[in-house]
Amino acid sequence: MTTTGLDQAVTGREFEALPEVWRACFGLAWEALRAGSLPIGAVVVDGEGRIVGRGRNRLAEAVEASPHLPGTPYLTGTPLAHAEVNALLEVGFRPPGPRPVLFTTTEPCPLCMGAARMVGVARVVFAARDPWAGCAAMAETVPYLVRAGPLAEGPVPAMEDALVALQTAVHLAVDASPHDFLSVWGEVLPGAVATGRALHGDGVIAALVERQARPSEVWETLVASLPGA
């Protein structure tokens, strides 16, 4: 994977300093958490930079109509209901043109890297690594992906710690045995995982969910909680 070519660069720590694609991804991640699923969000961008597909994690939710494009199929209430897959499904079949780019808050798993290849995505750009399940390396090691892509780019340093802290806090709240994979995360991103543990222990994320805080408030709370903030 590479960190070059991250054309949606982050220029500051405030939510409004995030490019539109990252604000959209984080907003979808927060929407997922408020609905009871894991906080992961993704968007697909066409050759002109327009968002043409949005998706979020829906593992723990019932079936309902798509909020973004009624009638478009998406997955929910299944272990396959990942944010990246749902964003790609929302795109559907479109006329030939420049290959799209998939942006996601979290490094994709094998399912999502494979789905991006099947749809013909040119690049997958992720904001935060997943040292446990992330498979961006497939882009450089699996012949099927090496031949035609997608390329994998990430992480985004200005976003990674905040996102990993959020994921850590959520997994501590909902997972019966998160310690195996959190120990792996902690070896790679110790400050972010420690922050997530503190946020969970203090009930910060639960309180934000309860009062239905806006994504901007959530983001700035996460950033302010990081070491050196």
Side-chain angles (χ1 to χ4, degrees):
M1 75 191 75
T2 178
T3 57
T4 62
L6 292 173
D7 51 350
Q8 302 290 336
V10 178
T11 58
R13 296 169 71 86
E14 299 81 10
F15 188 70
E16 293 305 319
L18 300 179
E20 179 188 6
V21 293
W22 291 126
R23 294 198 306 272
C25 284
F26 185 76
L28 288 160
W30 183 241
E31 182 181 325
L33 180 55
R34 288 177 54 195
S37 292
L38 295 176
I40 301 174
V43 300
V44 179
V45 175
D46 68 10
E48 297 181 4
R50 297 173 300 190
I51 294 177
V52 294
R54 300 170 188 258
R56 62 176 177 81
N57 190 289
R58 292 178 176 270
L59 268 67
E61 300 168 46
V63 176
E64 60 184 30
S66 170
H68 303 297
L69 192 61
T72 299
Y74 68 93
L75 299 177
T76 187
T78 165
L80 301 177
H82 290 205
E84 298 88 344
V85 172
N86 279 325
L88 294 166
L89 282 170
E90 192 166 89
V91 173
F93 288 97
R94 296 184 179 276
R99 294 168 66 190
V101 179
L102 174 65
F103 289 86
T104 178
T105 53
T106 304
E107 181 180 353
C109 69
L111 168 70
C112 298
M113 284 298 295
R117 168 63 176 86
M118 293 295 182
V119 173
V121 166
R123 294 187 294 133
V124 173
V125 186
F126 59 93
R129 287 169 288 176
D130 180 351
W132 177 261
C135 287
M138 288 172 59
E140 298 175 353
T141 59
V142 176
Y144 184 57
L145 274 70
V146 172
R147 180 173 178 270
L151 299 175
E153 300 177 7
V156 178
M159 298 181 67
E160 182 173 55
D161 282 354
L163 291 168
V164 172
L166 176 61
Q167 289 281 3
T168 298
V170 170
H171 278 288
L172 286 168
V174 304
D175 197 318
S177 56
H179 302 291
D180 285 346
F181 68 83
L182 286 184
S183 66
V184 174
W185 285 9
E187 291 174 2
V188 179
L189 298 156
V193 170
T195 299
R197 291 186 182 278
L199 289 169
H200 169 67
D202 294 340
V204 172
I205 303 302
L208 290 168
V209 170
E210 183 176 0
R211 70 167 185 267
Q212 300 184 20
R214 294 181 178 180
S216 58
E217 179 186 355
V218 179
W219 177 257
E220 287 162 17
T221 299
L222 292 169
V223 170
S225 301
L226 294 171

